[in-house]
Amino acid sequence: MKPVVVGIDGSSSALDAACWAAVEAARRETWLRIVFADVFAQVYLPELPTIPLPETYSDAMARQARTWLDRAEQEARSAAPDVEVRTVSHTGGAAPVLIDESQRAQLVVVGSRGIGGFTGLIVGSVAVALCAHGHCPVAVVRQAPADVDPAAPAVVGVDDRDQQEPVLTAAFEAAAMRRVLLVAVHAWHEVGSQRAWKDFNAAGQAAAVHAEEERYLAEAMAGWADKYPDVAARRVVAHGQAARALLDHAEHAQLVVVGSRGRGGLSGLLLGSTSQQLVHHAPCSVLVVR
């Protein structure tokens, strides 16, 4: 059975991610693999005979990695005692190591920031690379499981008709496992000047477009209630940018589920702008589905 994989780096955010991943592995009835990527092991530092050292640099890093892995394993076991946990340390950068791990995982989990606390920069870049090039869904964790309201809903962004099935499957599965409401959000916005928008709105065309978008969302959600009868779903059509609409609903959610690209996305090239904004700015955890 494919595991849930979590990447750790010794930060408090990584420990939160390890706990979140352990709970998620319990929900999925699978095992947890905790991974550390040691990029510094690739750096060659020659030994200097005139400066005796108690241990080599590589030995010191290996010892530090073991300490971080042991701490993450301890936290994960506390969060989900019945989940099997395995740890591994790889040589290489975090992004390529975790992308490789994603080939053999059902989910890869990372924290929202790394050592130093630069939110959205250090681990954020790893998350973006994973979401763009990984082989399975990626979760970016904002909170420890103990800090999450278990009754808070899950939110899913519904956009591209051709890509919606895996996204909606992941969203309904997440809501079913958590036994919470699923809020399906679809946003539309106009392109043009403010004057053009006023004329468009005054002519009643905006209302017609909004009604059409409501029909689109209803069609996209059709049939899912039969597949997941225990999941209550609410549809929301918003006027404005998709990222803004999803961020608004994320304020009161425990998880937001989005696709890796929106309408017109170029497969395998770039992560969609909406997904990127959520990865960097969402107040709750984000699940990006490729």
Side-chain angles (χ1 to χ4, degrees), residues 22-97:
V23 173
E24 187 67 15
R27 292 189 183 109
R28 296 169 178 244
E29 299 182 343
T30 187
W31 57 285
L32 177 66
R33 181 174 171 89
I34 304 176
V35 178
F36 174 74
D38 183 6
V39 66
F40 296 105
Q42 296 177 310
V43 179
Y44 172 69
L45 294 177
E47 295 185 16
L48 301 176
T50 58
I51 306 177
L53 297 174
E55 61 181 342
T56 66
Y57 179 79
S58 60
D59 289 339
M61 281 305 303
R63 180 168 52 82
Q64 181 63 79
R66 187 67 264 163
T67 299
W68 286 339
L69 285 168
D70 289 346
R71 177 69 188 283
E73 181 179 2
Q74 180 182 6
E75 294 291 325
R77 291 188 185 280
S78 296
D82 296 331
V83 170
E84 178 185 354
V85 181
R86 306 176 196 172
T87 63
V88 64
S89 179
H90 287 302
T91 298
V97 164

Side-chain angles (χ1 to χ4, degrees), residues 36-189:
F36 174 74
D38 183 6
V39 66
F40 296 105
Q42 296 177 310
V43 179
Y44 172 69
L45 294 177
E47 295 185 16
L48 301 176
T50 58
I51 306 177
L53 297 174
E55 61 181 342
T56 66
Y57 179 79
S58 60
D59 289 339
M61 281 305 303
R63 180 168 52 82
Q64 181 63 79
R66 187 67 264 163
T67 299
W68 286 339
L69 285 168
D70 289 346
R71 177 69 188 283
E73 181 179 2
Q74 180 182 6
E75 294 291 325
R77 291 188 185 280
S78 296
D82 296 331
V83 170
E84 178 185 354
V85 181
R86 306 176 196 172
T87 63
V88 64
S89 179
H90 287 302
T91 298
V97 164
L98 291 174
I99 289 171
D100 179 68
E101 287 279 343
S102 73
Q103 297 183 72
R104 299 171 295 280
Q106 58 177 281
L107 175 69
V108 176
V109 182
V110 292
S112 60
R113 61 188 184 276
I115 294 175
F118 294 97
T119 302
L121 292 177
I122 298 177
V123 178
S125 63
V126 174
V128 169
L130 270 171
C131 295
H133 303 293
H135 303 275
C136 70
V138 175
V140 181
V141 173
R142 297 287 181 191
Q143 297 171 298
D147 298 328
V148 176
D149 179 1
V155 174
V156 59
V158 181
D159 188 5
D160 190 339
R161 190 186 303 272
D162 295 332
Q163 305 295 327
Q164 70 190 10
E165 185 169 353
V167 176
L168 286 173
T169 297
F172 271 92
E173 289 284 351
M177 288 187 290
R178 290 163 174 80
R179 299 180 181 179
V180 296
L181 172 72
L182 178 63
V183 181
V185 179
H186 173 67
W188 67 277
H189 66 95

